[in-house]
Amino acid sequence: MKFNFYGNQQLVSLLEKMTENNKAAKTVLFFGEKGTGRKTLAKYYCTLLLCENPVNSKPCGVCRTCRNIENHVHPDIIYAEKSGKLGGYSVDTAKQICSDAFIKPNNSDKKIYIFADCHAMDVRTQNTLLKIIEEPPEHAYFIFTANSKNDFLPTIISRCSSFGVSVCAEDECREALTERGYTSSQIDSAVNCFHGNIGMCISFIEDELLQKSVELTKTLVNSIISNDEYSLTVAFNMLGKDRNAIKEALTLLDRQLRDCAVISCGNDEKIGCYPEGAYRLADIITASQAMKIHSAVNKAWYAVESNVNTTLVLSALSAEIASVCSQ
C-alpha cells in the first residue's frame, strides 16, 4: 500500500500526530471540491487508526489490516449505503448504523463508519445521527466526506473535527499524472482544464463523458458570450435527462462564472475548464452579472438535485441567463 499526497502534507502530518498521541478524533469531516483526495484521506485515516505495526507514525502497509483496507475487505470499516433516486443517505440507513455501532468490532478494537459524498444530506438523517456522534461507543468512529461544511447542520459540524482538503500546485499535479504514466499531451489538456485537481485531471483523461461535459461547457460559455438564448437552450437540451450529467455541466459552468468574476476584479487565479472563455466572458459581462448568473445556476443545480423536471429547470435557466446578459 502506498499513499502519495500532493498539496495536503500539513493535513496528513496532523492526522499522523493525532493518532500517534492517542488523540484521534472520533468524528471527522474531510471537505473540499471533488477530485482533491477526500476519500483517499478518509482511507488513510482508517489505516492510521487500525494499522497493526505503524512505522514512524505511518501505516506499515504490509500487515493484514493494511492489506485488507487496501482491498476494501476490512470487516470493521463500514461504508454507509446510499439509496433513492437522489442517491442520498436515508433515515433507515442512519438508524441501522446507530444500532450497529454498539456491536463490538470483528477483528480490531475500532469500528469505522464512512459516509462518502454527503452533498445535501437529508436533515432528518443528520438529526438521526446526531446522538451517536455526540456520544459514540468507545470503539466507534465516523468519517464524512463532502464538498463543503455547509452541507451539514451546525449541530453536526460542532461535533466534528473538520479538515479542508485542497488542490495542489499545477507542477505537483503534473508530477502525479506523470507517475501514473500519462502522456505529456494528455497531461497538458487535463491540467489546462482542471489545474491542480489531480482526481479531476485523471477523470478527464480517462472518462469520455467528462471530456464531452467540458466541450459542452465551452459551448455554453460561448453562447453566453454571444448572448444567444437559442444556442444556449440547444446546448442545455444536449444534456438530456441524466441528472448527474446536468449537475456536472452546471458545476463546470459555475466555475467559469467564478473565474469571470475574479478576472473582472483583477485576480488571475483560475479554477474553470475553459480559461480562454473566462477572459472573453469577463470582457462581455461584469462581475455583478456573473454573480447573478451564478445564483441562477446554483438555484438550477439544487432544483435538479431535488428531482424537479429538468427540461423546465434548464429552460428557465436559459431565459434567466439571457435576461441578465441583456441588462
Side-chain angles (χ1 to χ4, degrees), residues 29 31 41 47 70 84 163 205 207 223 232 281 292 294 300 323:
L29 165 62
F31 67 93
L41 280 164
T47 313
E70 173 67 14
F163 302 107
I205 293 171
D207 187 352
S223 297
L232 190 62
L281 194 59
K292 288 180 180 179
H294 154 73
S323 175

Side-chain angles (χ1 to χ4, degrees), residues 169-238:
E170 290 191 6
D171 287 346
E172 288 182 298
C173 184
R174 290 179 183 277
E175 179 184 344
L177 297 174
T178 300
E179 286 182 357
R180 286 166 171 78
Y182 298 121
T183 66
S184 296
S185 176
Q186 289 174 317
I187 292 172
D188 288 341
S189 296
V191 173
N192 185 58
C193 288
F194 293 103
H195 314 286
N197 188 317
I198 297 172
M200 290 302 294
C201 284
I202 292 172
S203 295
F204 177 77
I205 293 171
E206 298 184 351
D207 187 352
E208 290 186 6
L209 291 178
L210 181 55
Q211 294 170 19
K212 290 179 180 178
S213 292
V214 167
E215 290 305 311
L216 181 59
T217 300
K218 294 179 180 180
T219 300
L220 292 171
V221 171
N222 290 335
S223 297
I224 297 173
I225 291 170
S226 60
N227 195 15
D228 187 341
E229 183 178 351
Y230 175 75
S231 66
L232 190 62
T233 302
V234 170
F236 276 132
N237 285 339
M238 291 172 63

Side-chain angles (χ1 to χ4, degrees), residues 283-303:
D283 289 335
I284 300 298
I285 63 174
T286 65
S288 176
Q289 287 174 305
M291 292 308 297
K292 288 180 180 179
I293 299 175
H294 154 73
S295 296
V297 170
N298 195 48
K299 179 181 176 182
W301 193 98
Y302 279 105

